[in-house]
Amino acid sequence: MGTSPLILTSFLLIHCLTLSSLLPTSSSIQISLGGKGTGISIGIGIGGPSPSSPSSPSSPSSPSSSTPKPSDFPSCFLYKSYFVIQEFKKTITCDPQGITKTWNGFNICGQYCGFYCEAPPGYDNKTGLAVASVDFNGNALTSEKFGVFVQNLTELALFHANSNNFSGYVPFLDKNPYFYELDLSNNKLTGSFPPNAIQRNLTFLDLRFNTYNGCVPPAVFSNLPFAIAIFLNNNMFSGDLPSNLGYSPVQYLSLANNLFTGPIPSSIGHAKNLTEVLFLNNTLSGCLPNEVGLLKKLVVFDASLNYITGPLPYSYGCLKNLEQLVLAHNLLYGEVPEVLCKLVYTGKLNLSLSYNYFTSLGPTCWTLIKQGNKRLDVRKNCIPWVPDQRSSEECWWFAKKPKTCPWSSYTPCWGASSENTDSVSASDSEPVEAKMPVKGGSSRLGRKSGYRTYGALDGSPVPRN
């Protein structure tokens, strides 16, 4: 049986009156961490205008010097949030865009720049309106106290703060039952991985472009059961990748531009939702895992600029949706698999293998070379009769080194093993139109490429859709 509007309204009135007695003036308040609820379905509702926009004439607004009362606000949630915002405002030491000038009066939803309101689940917009989202992207605010600000907005669902100068601790989110998106990218955050960022309801976690260091805890891949995107690139994380990496439901994963070591975990084969993953520019080693070939949804796989060695698994020929396979600047060797060259010729695949030590090509690969197809890049290898290869001295030096990675033609999909793969000639089918190659054999496609993970390699906010 649902709660009647009369009972709910009475409860909110009593709650507001209680807050009023506890918070008589803005200078003596203490905000508590209260609030319980379920669900993570809050969206972005009523938004604040730009700093130059006037407040809505129909909304209650008073001079900031007057003492606020519960009746000055549409709900007691906003009454409480008013004090939280005003306390946070005092901690901001730099505001080059002047957005805090709009944080005056009582019209939070219509006047305060960066704040967006909506009622939490179970409440209506008349009596339960609350601050549901805060968007400070690109505001260049400076504060060491953003953590307590976020955790005291207990009805908050989204906090986006890309490109600010926030420092201090990541907020405790255990008292924020609706919270599901945290973007702290491109700030001044340091230290080890913040455990407070591992909040069960999170679908989006963005900590890129800070100076975090040390290991990434396994809980990132086991305790975020609703994760869609995890961006940890451009920090100073180090150590081996967690062995449970593949047990996350994540679709977009960027670990690029860190100091990770060791192999890519074989558990990656369990990451059935994985669409784009970036391992580029670390110090990873070991063999490429065959299990990557099990990822049917995979579109982007970039492990360039590492020390990964061994043959290129034939199982990768099962990746029919793959558009970017970038393994340039590693220590790979052997034959470039014919099944992958067929995907380049007949599919959408861009295959970047430059600056390795491959020694041979199959017939379809040769067809691509003769056609000048730019979606296959095998520059700076050890392949005879192919232009722009390594020197004979470099190839001889590498050939003498011991090889420990096993070779296998096993493929988990039907008809993709080396024994039953036919070559493709120029007359068999028309090749897909060549796209712009990846420059330098590495992946610097950027935001305009349309790939979310490559978009995360710059300092701008990553589109959510």
Side-chain angles (χ1 to χ4, degrees):
M1 179 180 297
T3 305
S4 69
L6 180 60
I7 296 176
L8 181 60
T9 303
S10 300
F11 168 76
L12 290 171
L13 179 60
I14 295 172
H15 185 45
C16 288
L17 291 173
T18 303
L19 283 173
S20 179
S21 63
L22 291 175
L23 310 175
T25 66
S26 59
S27 61
S28 62
I29 64 164
Q30 295 291 330
I31 302 297
S32 63
L33 298 176
K36 295 290 182 181
T38 58
I40 57 171
S41 60
I42 298 180
I44 296 179
I46 304 170
S50 63
S52 61
S53 302
S55 61
S56 171
S58 61
S59 301
S61 181
S62 303
S64 58
S65 59
S66 64
T67 302
K69 303 180 294 296
S71 58
D72 294 322
F73 300 88
S75 72
C76 60
F77 291 141
L78 293 175
Y79 175 58
K80 181 186 69 173
S81 296
Y82 169 84
F83 295 103
V84 176
I85 296 168
Q86 297 306 318
E87 288 299 305
F88 176 60
K89 182 178 178 179
K90 297 175 185 177
T91 73
I92 295 176
T93 57
C94 184
D95 176 16
Q97 299 179 18
I99 70 164
T100 57
K101 294 178 181 178
T102 69
W103 301 356
N104 293 313
F106 305 149
N107 185 14
I108 297 174
C109 301
Q111 178 178 324
Y112 284 33
C113 188
F115 292 85
Y116 301 84
C117 300
E118 189 171 310
Y123 296 88
D124 60 64
N125 280 329
K126 292 183 178 180
T127 58
L129 200 61
V131 175
S133 174
V134 172
D135 188 347
F136 293 154
N137 283 347
N139 291 145
L141 298 173
T142 300
S143 175
E144 297 179 353
K145 303 293 185 180
F146 81 95
V148 67
F149 163 69
V150 173
Q151 69 192 38
N152 282 336
L153 293 175
T154 52
E155 294 76 41
L156 195 64
L158 300 88
F159 183 67
H160 299 163
N162 171 276
S163 299
N164 286 277
N165 295 299
F166 290 147
S167 58
Y169 72 90
V170 172
F172 295 93
L173 299 172
D174 54 334
K175 299 296 180 63
N176 301 65
Y178 312 112
F179 203 95
Y180 66 91
E181 282 196 11
L182 180 62
D183 182 354
L184 299 176
S185 57
N186 203 13
N187 278 281
K188 306 295 183 184
L189 302 173
T190 62
S192 58
F193 188 96
N196 298 342
I198 305 175
Q199 202 270 354
R200 179 177 174 82
N201 286 342
L202 282 186
T203 63
F204 184 90
L205 175 61
D206 191 347
L207 300 178
R208 63 200 163 93
F209 286 94
N210 285 287
T211 54
Y212 285 120
N213 57 66
C215 296
V216 170
V220 171
F221 302 103
S222 61
N223 293 0
L224 295 176
F226 306 107
I228 295 174
I230 299 175
F231 297 136
L232 306 180
N233 55 276
N234 293 84
N235 279 280
M236 299 179 67
F237 291 122
S238 59
D240 288 359
L241 297 173
S243 61
N244 66 337
L245 179 148
Y247 295 101
S248 169
V250 69
Q251 298 176 31
Y252 305 94
L253 175 63
S254 181
L255 303 174
N257 301 323
N258 281 288
L259 301 170
F260 291 115
T261 56
I264 297 173
S266 60
S267 69
I268 194 173
H270 295 278
K272 303 301 183 183
N273 296 324
L274 196 59
T275 303
E276 300 180 20
V277 57
L278 302 185
F279 296 112
L280 70 96
N281 197 26
N282 283 282
T283 54
L284 298 175
S285 58
C287 314
L288 282 171
N290 286 311
E291 290 81 0
V292 171
L294 299 171
L295 304 178
K296 297 180 180 180
K297 297 181 180 180
L298 195 63
V299 174
V300 173
F301 184 90
D302 191 335
S304 60
L305 293 165
N306 282 287
Y307 297 95
I308 299 170
T309 189
L312 182 51
Y314 273 67
S315 63
Y316 293 15
C318 294
L319 302 173
K320 305 301 182 183
N321 293 314
L322 195 62
E323 297 180 11
Q324 298 287 337
L325 178 56
V326 188
L327 300 171
H329 292 271
N330 277 289
L331 303 173
L332 301 171
Y333 57 84
E335 182 182 52
V336 176
E338 179 76 354
V339 287
L340 286 174
C341 288
K342 288 184 67 175
L343 290 181
V344 174
Y345 193 92
T346 62
K348 299 177 289 185
L349 178 61
N350 290 271
L351 179 59
S352 179
L353 303 176
S354 60
Y355 291 88
N356 280 284
Y357 293 89
F358 289 105
T359 54
S360 61
L361 300 169
T364 305
C365 303
W366 278 111
T367 299
L368 294 168
I369 295 292
K370 293 175 182 178
Q371 291 176 342
N373 193 312
K374 295 181 179 180
R375 293 192 296 119
L376 172 63
D377 186 356
V378 291
R379 292 174 298 114
K380 299 300 180 183
N381 278 277
C382 299
I383 307 170
W385 304 295
V386 174
D388 197 12
Q389 296 296 290
R390 292 183 182 274
S391 68
S392 58
E393 291 79 13
E394 287 181 281
C395 295
W396 177 250
W397 167 83
F398 184 80
K400 294 189 298 182
K401 297 177 70 68
K403 311 294 189 297
T404 58
C405 294
W407 179 87
S408 173
S409 63
Y410 168 74
T411 50
C413 55
W414 177 259
S417 67
S418 61
E419 289 80 6
N420 55 20
T421 299
D422 298 326
S423 63
V424 175
S425 65
S427 60
D428 288 332
S429 62
E430 291 297 324
V432 174
E433 181 182 356
K435 298 181 180 179
M436 183 178 65
V438 179
K439 294 182 179 179
S442 183
S443 38
R444 297 292 185 269
L445 299 185
R447 178 173 308 285
K448 292 182 180 179
S449 70
Y451 300 111
R452 291 183 67 183
T453 48
Y454 282 130
L457 296 181
D458 64 34
S460 304
V462 176
R464 303 314 195 266
N465 49 33

